Amino acid sequence: MSTTPPVLAAELAQAWADIQRHHPELPDLAAPESLIGESSSACGAELSFERLLHEAVHGIAAARGVRDTSRAGRYHNRRFLAIAEEMGLDHADEPHPSSGFSLVTLNPEAKRRYRATIERLQRALKAHTAATASDTKRTFRGPAARHGSSGGGVRVKAVCDCGRNVRVVPSVLAQAPIVCGGCGKPFRIPEALGATG
């Protein structure tokens, strides 16, 4: 099995097609490779079948014209939860204060329904991880490859002490400081902005 991203993208597309067989209203996945790489800060999960099913919930919400998130895509509301439950995802009774119902998990029925798909995707992800972990050459993959289709690419305002600001994906800022060229201090996401989106 090849471990190149195009092969992983093909496996993601196949897993998406498997979900579509059970949920025909789910739109096609435009760019499977956009899910490869950095995890979505809104989803709080690394790439997996569970994460893919989470993204499919957003796809069905979009197809239905349902607004399933707020706060710049970070807070997943009860409309998201209702669709997630239709698709075989469960959540604890109480929403998380900042991400709502985003941290969903596969229920036992969904695990049985998608067992072969899950196993195939896990093999592809494991091979991809092994191949990229041994790659010591630094490369730039671009924002589409680094961010998931919802939440992960949402930029918020980060400020420095001199008053300058930039738009940044929170998970990128969490990886390492981004330093202001004007005052030399790191940009940060103010608590008030982070709470209200």
Side-chain angles (χ1 to χ4, degrees), residues 5 8 33-39 47 128 132-133 135 137-148 172 175:
L8 180 55
E33 61 278 4
S34 69
L35 296 173
I36 301 169
E38 184 178 318
S39 64
L47 186 55
H128 175 73
T132 56
D135 181 13
K137 186 171 92 175
R138 293 176 56 98
T139 58
F140 177 72
R141 298 176 309 183
R146 291 194 323 270
H147 303 294
V172 170
Q175 290 175 6

Coordinates of all heavy atoms in Angstrom, one line a residue, residues 5 8 33-39 47 128 132-133 135 137-148 172 175:
P5 N 0.0 11.1 0.3 CA -1.3 11.7 0.6 C -2.4 11.5 -0.4 O -3.5 11.3 0.0 CB -0.9 13.2 0.7 CG 0.5 13.2 1.2 CD 1.1 12.0 0.5
L8 N -4.1 8.4 0.7 CA -4.9 8.6 1.8 C -6.1 9.4 1.5 O -7.2 9.1 2.0 CB -4.1 9.3 2.9 CG -4.8 9.7 4.2 CD1 -5.5 8.4 4.8 CD2 -3.9 10.3 5.2
E33 N -8.2 15.8 0.6 CA -6.9 16.1 1.1 C -6.9 17.3 2.1 O -6.0 17.4 2.9 CB -5.9 16.4 0.0 CG -6.3 17.6 -0.9 CD -7.3 17.2 -2.0 OE1 -7.8 16.1 -2.0 OE2 -7.6 18.1 -2.8
S34 N -8.0 18.0 2.1 CA -8.1 19.1 3.1 C -8.2 18.6 4.5 O -8.0 19.4 5.4 CB -9.3 20.0 2.7 OG -10.5 19.4 3.0
L35 N -8.6 17.4 4.7 CA -8.7 16.8 6.0 C -7.4 16.2 6.5 O -7.3 15.9 7.7 CB -9.8 15.7 6.0 CG -11.2 16.2 5.7 CD1 -12.1 15.0 5.6 CD2 -11.7 17.1 6.8
I36 N -6.4 16.1 5.6 CA -5.1 15.5 6.0 C -4.3 16.6 6.7 O -4.1 17.6 6.1 CB -4.4 14.9 4.8 CG1 -5.2 13.8 4.1 CG2 -3.0 14.3 5.2 CD1 -4.7 13.4 2.8
G37 N -3.7 16.3 7.8 CA -2.8 17.2 8.5 C -3.4 17.7 9.8 O -3.9 16.9 10.6
E38 N -3.3 19.0 10.0 CA -3.6 19.5 11.3 C -5.1 19.2 11.7 O -6.0 19.3 10.9 CB -3.4 21.0 11.3 CG -3.7 21.7 12.6 CD -3.4 23.1 12.6 OE1 -2.4 23.5 11.9 OE2 -4.2 23.9 13.1
S39 N -5.3 18.9 12.9 CA -6.7 18.6 13.4 C -7.5 19.9 13.5 O -6.9 21.0 13.6 CB -6.7 17.9 14.7 OG -6.1 18.7 15.7
L47 N -7.5 13.3 12.9 CA -8.2 12.7 11.8 C -8.5 11.2 12.1 O -7.6 10.4 12.4 CB -7.3 12.8 10.5 CG -8.0 12.4 9.2 CD1 -9.3 13.1 9.0 CD2 -7.0 12.7 8.1
H128 N 0.1 6.4 6.6 CA 0.4 7.8 6.3 C 1.3 8.4 7.4 O 2.3 9.1 7.1 CB -0.8 8.5 6.0 CG -0.6 10.0 5.9 ND1 -0.1 10.5 4.7 CD2 -0.8 11.1 6.7 CE1 0.0 11.8 4.9 NE2 -0.4 12.2 6.0
T132 N 5.0 9.9 7.0 CA 5.3 11.3 7.2 C 6.2 11.6 8.5 O 6.9 12.6 8.5 CB 4.0 12.1 7.3 OG1 3.2 11.6 8.3 CG2 3.3 12.1 6.0
A133 N 6.1 10.6 9.4 CA 6.9 10.8 10.6 C 8.4 10.6 10.3 O 9.3 11.3 10.9 CB 6.5 9.8 11.7
D135 N 9.7 11.5 7.4 CA 10.1 12.6 6.5 C 10.6 13.8 7.3 O 9.9 14.5 7.9 CB 8.9 13.0 5.7 CG 9.2 14.1 4.7 OD1 10.4 14.3 4.4 OD2 8.2 14.7 4.1
K137 N 12.3 16.3 5.9 CA 12.4 17.5 5.1 C 11.2 18.4 5.4 O 10.1 18.0 5.4 CB 12.4 17.1 3.6 CG 12.6 18.2 2.6 CD 12.7 17.7 1.2 CE 11.4 17.7 0.6 NZ 11.4 17.3 -0.8
R138 N 11.5 19.7 5.6 CA 10.5 20.6 6.0 C 9.8 21.1 4.7 O 10.5 21.5 3.8 CB 11.0 21.8 6.8 CG 11.5 21.4 8.1 CD 12.1 22.6 8.8 NE 11.2 23.7 8.9 CZ 10.5 24.0 10.0 NH1 10.6 23.3 11.0 NH2 9.7 25.1 10.0
T139 N 8.5 21.0 4.6 CA 7.8 21.4 3.4 C 6.6 22.2 3.9 O 6.1 22.1 5.0 CB 7.3 20.3 2.6 OG1 6.5 19.4 3.4 CG2 8.5 19.4 2.0
F140 N 6.1 23.1 3.0 CA 4.9 23.9 3.2 C 3.7 23.3 2.4 O 3.9 23.1 1.2 CB 5.1 25.3 2.8 CG 3.9 26.2 3.0 CD1 3.5 26.5 4.3 CD2 3.1 26.6 2.0 CE1 2.3 27.3 4.5 CE2 2.0 27.4 2.1 CZ 1.6 27.7 3.4
R141 N 2.7 22.9 3.1 CA 1.6 22.2 2.4 C 0.4 23.2 2.1 O -0.5 22.8 1.4 CB 1.0 21.1 3.3 CG 2.0 20.0 3.5 CD 1.5 19.0 4.4 NE 0.9 19.7 5.6 CZ 0.4 19.1 6.6 NH1 0.4 17.8 6.7 NH2 0.0 19.7 7.7
G142 N 0.4 24.4 2.6 CA -0.6 25.3 2.3 C -1.8 25.2 3.2 O -2.0 24.1 3.8
P143 N -2.6 26.2 3.4 CA -3.7 26.2 4.3 C -4.8 25.1 4.1 O -5.3 24.6 5.0 CB -4.3 27.6 4.3 CG -3.8 28.2 3.0 CD -2.5 27.5 2.7
A144 N -5.0 24.8 2.8 CA -6.1 23.8 2.5 C -5.7 22.5 3.1 O -6.5 21.7 3.5 CB -6.4 23.8 1.0
A145 N -4.4 22.1 3.0 CA -4.0 20.9 3.5 C -3.8 20.8 5.0 O -3.9 19.8 5.6 CB -2.6 20.5 2.9
R146 N -3.7 22.0 5.6 CA -3.4 22.0 7.1 C -4.7 22.1 7.9 O -4.7 21.8 9.1 CB -2.6 23.2 7.5 CG -1.1 23.1 7.0 CD -0.2 24.1 7.6 NE -0.8 25.3 7.9 CZ -0.8 26.4 7.0 NH1 -0.2 26.2 5.9 NH2 -1.3 27.5 7.4
H147 N -5.8 22.5 7.3 CA -7.0 22.7 8.1 C -8.2 21.9 7.6 O -8.4 21.7 6.4 CB -7.4 24.2 8.1 CG -6.2 25.0 8.6 ND1 -5.8 25.0 9.9 CD2 -5.4 25.9 8.0 CE1 -4.8 25.8 10.0 NE2 -4.5 26.3 8.9
G148 N -9.0 21.4 8.5 CA -10.2 20.7 8.2 C -11.2 21.6 7.6 O -11.1 22.8 7.5
V172 N -3.1 27.1 15.3 CA -1.7 27.4 14.8 C -1.0 28.3 15.8 O 0.2 28.0 16.1 CB -1.9 28.2 13.4 CG1 -0.5 28.8 13.0 CG2 -2.4 27.3 12.3
Q175 N 0.5 26.3 18.6 CA 1.7 25.5 18.3 C 3.0 26.2 18.7 O 3.9 25.6 19.2 CB 1.8 25.1 16.8 CG 0.7 24.2 16.4 CD 0.8 23.9 14.9 OE1 1.6 24.4 14.2 NE2 -0.2 23.2 14.4

